[in-house]
Amino acid sequence: EGWQTPHHIWASRRWEHSDLKLGQTWVPFGIHWSNFDDWGNVIYYTGFEDDSDYGLSWAYEREGALGLALGFFKNQQLASDSRQRYDTDVFSGAPDGDDANAGGIRRANEETNQVNIRLAWTLPLDDGALELGASSMLGQLYNLDTRDMGTRAAYGLHADLSAGRWHAFLQGMYYDFTQKLPDTAPEGADRFVNVSSWNFAYEMPRQAGMYALGAAYDLRGEKLTVHANYSRLTGGTAEADSWIATAGLRSFWANLDIFLEGYWGHNDPQMSGRAPGYGHDTGLTEFRLDLRFIYRLSLLKSKQVDKPRW
């Protein structure tokens, strides 16, 4: 769509069971990417999944032991007034005509000083593994107008299963943001927070609970897979529930990939482009059908190499 954004960029030092990363690196919270499709869920579109920010992270993983990941992130991905980002971060700019909350409120917040802790225990199975984990996040929310610091906090539990042909995940979480808005802000402005992703700005409740679950089954190994996902935002300061449901089929044959997926979104700004944000009662339920054929040209040969240690 005429814009580009980095997904991650970092330098690292690796040891046998751990690594240290500096740069725009993954924020250790929840499941890295839970969905079995390409659309995502409400946890992703509120900024708590597949998020990469600027800072320092350290992770320790060892089979049969408790895994630990720590992170400190000084700033969010790119400038806080940018819409052109892959993941979801707080948005400080003024909404315009292309945004879901066009004509809405400029809240002028940006993320800073964030600390993450993620614990995960991997239980080996005969034909797979089960990961059980817990995550927490504490950070600040700096307001560019008042120059005061608000707070951000989030807590989650998650499970990720791969057993033979079956794959499944389940995660639930709660978050709470406190904003330091100017006294001139409209009444009730602190009930929602401005965020942006995919060149698009919208609102989300400043406080809510969320859960997501999904399953996939390999009909023919990894060459033919069916999958379904469901996620929901509810409670807190939200005026209404928002949810996303997806289902589809994927086929991988030699150099040809085929995707057939359906996406449903209720009160979902990313799906409709008309709902002002998650947690708003617009009564909109939108549907999209995605059919793709992807053929990869084998112009270069690749070779799997051992993970470098330096």
Side-chain angles (χ1 to χ4, degrees), residues 50-71:
D50 201 16
D51 184 24
S52 293
D53 290 333
Y54 293 133
L56 184 71
S57 67
W58 175 81
Y60 172 85
E61 294 182 1
R62 189 172 184 176
E63 186 176 349
L66 182 66
L68 172 64
L70 304 174

Side-chain angles (χ1 to χ4, degrees), residues 4-285:
Q4 296 179 342
T5 184
H7 180 277
H8 63 269
I9 178 170
W10 42 260
S12 74
R13 170 70 167 92
R14 294 190 175 111
W15 294 270
E16 185 176 0
H17 300 293
S18 64
D19 66 73
L20 181 69
K21 293 180 180 178
L22 174 66
Q24 183 185 322
T25 179
W26 176 57
V27 175
F29 189 95
I31 301 175
H32 196 157
W33 177 256
S34 61
N35 273 34
F36 301 116
D37 59 57
D38 283 340
W39 185 262
N41 56 38
V42 293
I43 296 179
Y44 169 76
Y45 288 114
T46 50
F48 298 99
E49 184 172 290
D50 201 16
D51 184 24
S52 293
D53 290 333
Y54 293 133
L56 184 71
S57 67
W58 175 81
Y60 172 85
E61 294 182 1
R62 189 172 184 176
E63 186 176 349
L66 182 66
L68 172 64
L70 304 174
F72 173 75
F73 301 93
K74 183 61 180 177
N75 298 103
Q76 62 194 60
Q77 179 192 160
L78 305 179
S80 61
D81 61 353
S82 174
R83 296 168 176 82
Q84 298 183 3
R85 63 179 86 253
Y86 163 80
D87 55 23
T88 304
D89 282 323
V90 170
F91 176 63
S92 67
D96 63 24
D98 294 328
D99 295 323
N101 58 335
I105 302 167
R106 177 183 178 267
R107 293 178 170 90
N109 294 311
E110 63 181 20
E111 301 174 11
T112 188
N113 298 333
Q114 177 176 315
V115 176
N116 284 80
I117 302 175
R118 182 182 188 271
L119 297 170
W121 186 276
T122 301
L123 304 174
L125 305 175
D126 290 340
D127 52 358
L130 171 64
E131 181 189 82
L132 302 175
S135 299
S136 65
M137 180 273 287
L138 294 174
Q140 292 182 301
L141 195 62
Y142 179 69
N143 189 275
L144 298 172
D145 291 338
T146 64
R147 299 189 177 184
D148 289 332
M149 286 287 191
T151 60
R152 296 177 293 126
Y155 312 95
L157 298 173
H158 35 91
D160 194 5
L161 171 69
S162 180
R165 295 189 177 189
W166 283 101
H167 311 275
F169 72 88
L170 173 65
Q171 58 181 335
M173 62 163 294
Y174 171 82
Y175 72 89
D176 188 357
F177 287 23
T178 300
Q179 304 175 86
K180 296 293 185 179
L181 300 179
D183 294 337
T184 56
E187 184 178 356
D190 63 341
R191 297 177 62 242
F192 287 84
V193 176
N194 286 357
V195 295
S196 65
S197 64
W198 290 94
N199 206 23
F200 188 58
Y202 50 96
E203 293 178 328
M204 73 179 200
R206 75 158 189 88
Q207 178 191 66
M210 293 183 287
Y211 65 86
L213 65 158
Y217 182 73
D218 298 328
L219 295 172
R220 297 192 60 178
E222 295 182 352
K223 291 187 176 181
L224 183 61
T225 301
V226 293
H227 59 266
N229 306 280
Y230 179 79
S231 61
R232 183 180 180 185
L233 178 149
T234 185
T237 56
E239 297 177 357
D241 289 343
S242 293
W243 54 259
I244 297 174
T246 66
L249 180 147
R250 292 183 167 197
S251 175
F252 304 93
W253 299 101
N255 289 15
L256 177 64
D257 301 344
I258 302 174
F259 298 80
L260 176 60
E261 297 174 336
Y263 312 129
W264 293 262
H266 181 67
N267 296 326
D268 173 16
Q270 285 284 356
M271 189 75 69
S272 68
R274 295 181 289 159
Y278 292 103
H280 284 282
D281 188 7
T282 61
L284 288 172
T285 301

